[in-house]
Amino acid sequence: MRTPHALLAMAAALAATAVAPPSHAAAPVPAAGTYYVQSAVTGLNAADKGGAVEQHRPKGDEDHQRWNLRAEGSGYVLESADTAGSCLGRSGDQARTVNCTAADAAWEIGPAGDDRYTLKAPGADRYLTLAPQPAGATHPAQLAVGAAGALAAWYLTPVTAPTRPMPPGDQRTLDQMTFLTAHNAYANGVDGGFAPPFVNLFPNQARGIGAQLTDGVRGFMLDIHQTPDGAILCHNSCTLVSRPVALWVDLQRMVDFLRANPDQFVTVFLEDYVDPGVLRSELARVDGLSDVLYRPDRTGVRQNGWPKLADLVAANQRLLIFTDHSRSADEAAGLTRDSFGVLYQREWTVENYWSMGAGVGSSDWSCYSRWYDAGTNIPLTRTEGAFRPLFVMNHFRDTTVAATTQTDNTKLADRARRFCEPAARKKPNFLAVDRYDLGDPASAVAALNTYVYP
């Protein structure tokens, strides 16, 4: 990844100088500085593509997505951080880059609520906006200039956001914490088989669940499939898997660990292919599970925000379980998973798309929602009043190759800070990696736990 030292220095200098809003402004405008112009609807960024301005997946300094905001006359301009003299502007009903001295480069910036803004053409009721969404599709990439409304709301997200120190240990809320998370934690080749013979050659982890707990892993991604024996941990299918492990066995390991370590907190993410009744029966086999299970759906979190971790520890609510299964499918089946304490992940978290690419070769560091398609729109930036969803940051590839994974894991903190934090407008709460024993991702977790993203 390239590091534009000169541009970062310029951004810091700009950020140090506040711009007084022009007299017509109805609310404060962010200080001069370098920003991403980020759709409040999709979470995607305005990017210069050869003169067209499109919404692209957040990609840090690699895709002409950074804009220098400054006052210009009675309005504002947003100059490309990569192309001097080229500003985010308009031509007819389309967003375009134009010369910064042109009338079409000027914007009136006004409030749109919740740290959101509108960019309005001076003297006209025309706004930077998303193009309307065609039936059965995502919003077109090309940004438009059109009517006011929800599609015309934007975040101005600092490229380098100021941070503040992490509060004292007894004051830290759950959403201020970052936890080391093992992707496909069960696929370790130590506790048992996890895939057919050939796939079994590429374990995602090298240590069993017990060792992972001892090593400081506190988030566990587990794939479960339904067999006559219940909910079994396997990759893609349990067919031809030798000695697979049942879900309840690994959950029992975690509950036993929590019993022996009363100050610790663990989260489980289920990639879930079983019927709700089967999952309920599997959980019932875990001795002591109900004693430590955390139920944010019953404690006002959506209304009041996440509690202090110290309070959860004191209440012995120290195991949080999510499923990626669909609530609507369970309602149709007549049994919802949250009725027995397994929460629907899309209601409580945001998550970036999981793959950085193939097992070897260049990587894609863009950070965008796993859940943005024709039928689903859960941007990484989602907030709901006092409730901020927990952010699951995936940092792994299609296939686990040790040398590549080690290199990727050494870059984890850098990607989190420069790419994924501004993309989500929040700090990652779960850093999910393959082979956590390579490249020291624990140091990235430790670094993230020294500050709070504003």
Side-chain angles (χ1 to χ4, degrees):
M1 295 295 150
R2 48 195 177 86
T3 303
H5 299 290
L7 289 173
L8 288 176
M10 179 181 70
L14 284 168
T17 305
V19 172
S23 58
H24 69 263
V29 174
T34 308
Y35 293 88
Y36 299 109
V37 180
Q38 190 171 21
S39 168
V41 174
T42 66
L44 304 183
N45 289 342
D48 175 14
K49 185 179 180 182
V53 178
E54 301 179 343
Q55 60 166 346
H56 287 184
R57 298 166 177 173
K59 204 169 184 181
D61 60 354
E62 297 184 346
D63 188 43
H64 306 291
Q65 299 180 9
R66 299 169 304 146
W67 306 92
N68 293 325
L69 172 69
R70 66 174 185 268
E72 192 79 26
S74 61
Y76 296 88
V77 296
L78 287 150
E79 183 178 21
S80 170
D82 302 309
T83 308
S86 179
C87 280
L88 192 161
R90 53 202 174 273
S91 177
D93 62 357
Q94 290 192 336
R96 302 284 299 180
T97 51
V98 299
N99 190 291
C100 292
T101 62
D104 284 338
W107 298 98
E108 296 176 358
I109 299 180
D114 298 326
D115 198 29
R116 302 174 184 186
Y117 299 89
T118 57
L119 278 68
K120 179 179 177 294
D125 194 24
R126 299 171 65 241
Y127 298 80
L128 180 68
T129 187
L130 300 180
Q133 179 178 350
T138 57
H139 289 283
Q142 173 65 52
L143 296 181
V145 179
L151 298 183
W154 301 89
Y155 294 112
L156 295 176
T157 301
V159 167
T160 304
T163 60
R164 54 189 174 86
M166 181 73 88
D170 61 348
Q171 297 298 310
R172 300 172 182 178
T173 57
L174 186 62
D175 58 325
Q176 292 175 329
M177 298 295 298
T178 301
F179 300 95
L180 179 59
T181 299
H183 169 237
N184 285 354
Y186 66 96
N188 53 62
V190 176
D191 295 328
F194 60 89
F198 177 74
V199 180
N200 227 48
L201 297 175
F202 296 92
N204 298 97
Q205 306 299 335
R207 301 173 182 173
I209 295 294
Q212 292 178 34
L213 287 160
T214 300
D215 291 343
V217 175
R218 294 295 178 266
F220 298 85
M221 293 181 169
L222 307 175
D223 294 7
I224 53 173
H225 292 265
Q226 188 166 318
T227 77
D229 296 319
I232 305 300
L233 296 163
C234 305
H235 189 67
N236 293 332
S237 168
C238 292
T239 303
L240 302 179
V241 176
S242 174
R243 301 183 301 107
V245 178
L247 172 64
W248 77 267
V249 172
D250 275 352
L251 289 180
Q252 189 68 65
R253 290 182 171 118
M254 297 173 198
V255 170
D256 292 345
F257 173 83
L258 290 172
R259 187 181 291 122
N261 298 271
D263 61 342
Q264 296 301 302
F265 188 92
V266 166
T267 304
V268 174
F269 300 90
L270 299 178
E271 186 173 317
D272 188 344
Y273 301 98
V274 307
D275 294 335
V278 171
L279 181 57
R280 181 175 60 180
S281 297
E282 192 78 9
L283 299 186
R285 301 180 68 180
V286 182
D287 180 50
L289 176 67
S290 61
D291 297 334
V292 295
L293 192 62
Y294 173 40
R295 298 293 304 269
D297 55 329
R298 295 182 175 178
T299 53
V301 169
R302 300 193 75 86
Q303 295 74 35
N304 305 315
W306 295 96
K308 297 172 185 175
L309 185 59
D311 291 343
L312 293 175
V313 168
N316 201 32
Q317 298 175 349
R318 298 184 292 121
L319 178 63
L320 182 56
I321 304 178
F322 292 113
T323 175
D324 70 347
H325 208 80
S326 162
R327 173 185 285 277
S328 60
D330 285 349
E331 288 174 340
L335 177 63
T336 61
R337 289 164 211 254
D338 57 357
S339 67
F340 50 87
V342 177
L343 304 182
Y344 295 97
Q345 189 179 345
R346 297 186 193 192
E347 298 177 3
W348 297 93
T349 75
V350 293
E351 180 176 343
N352 66 307
Y353 181 69
W354 58 271
S355 174
M356 293 195 299
V360 295
S362 60
S363 60
D364 180 1
W365 276 22
S366 58
C367 216
Y368 60 99
S369 178
R370 176 184 177 184
W371 300 315
Y372 176 61
D373 54 38
T376 310
N377 180 22
I378 304 176
L380 294 183
T381 55
R382 182 182 65 163
T383 58
E384 300 171 15
F387 173 66
R388 294 172 63 83
L390 301 176
F391 175 22
V392 181
M393 178 183 156
N394 295 311
H395 186 81
F396 47 84
R397 301 189 184 223
D398 299 358
T399 304
T400 307
V401 177
T404 305
T405 301
Q406 175 155 349
T407 299
D408 287 344
N409 285 353
T410 63
K411 300 176 180 179
L412 177 57
D414 188 36
R415 185 184 181 212
R417 289 295 300 270
R418 292 200 295 123
F419 286 68
C420 292
E421 281 185 8
R425 295 173 56 86
K426 56 175 70 79
K427 192 172 75 170
N429 301 109
F430 301 92
L431 290 183
V433 298
D434 284 335
R435 291 298 302 272
Y436 73 88
D437 58 306
L438 300 176
D440 196 17
S443 66
V445 173
L448 287 167
N449 277 326
T450 64
Y451 68 88
V452 175
Y453 189 89

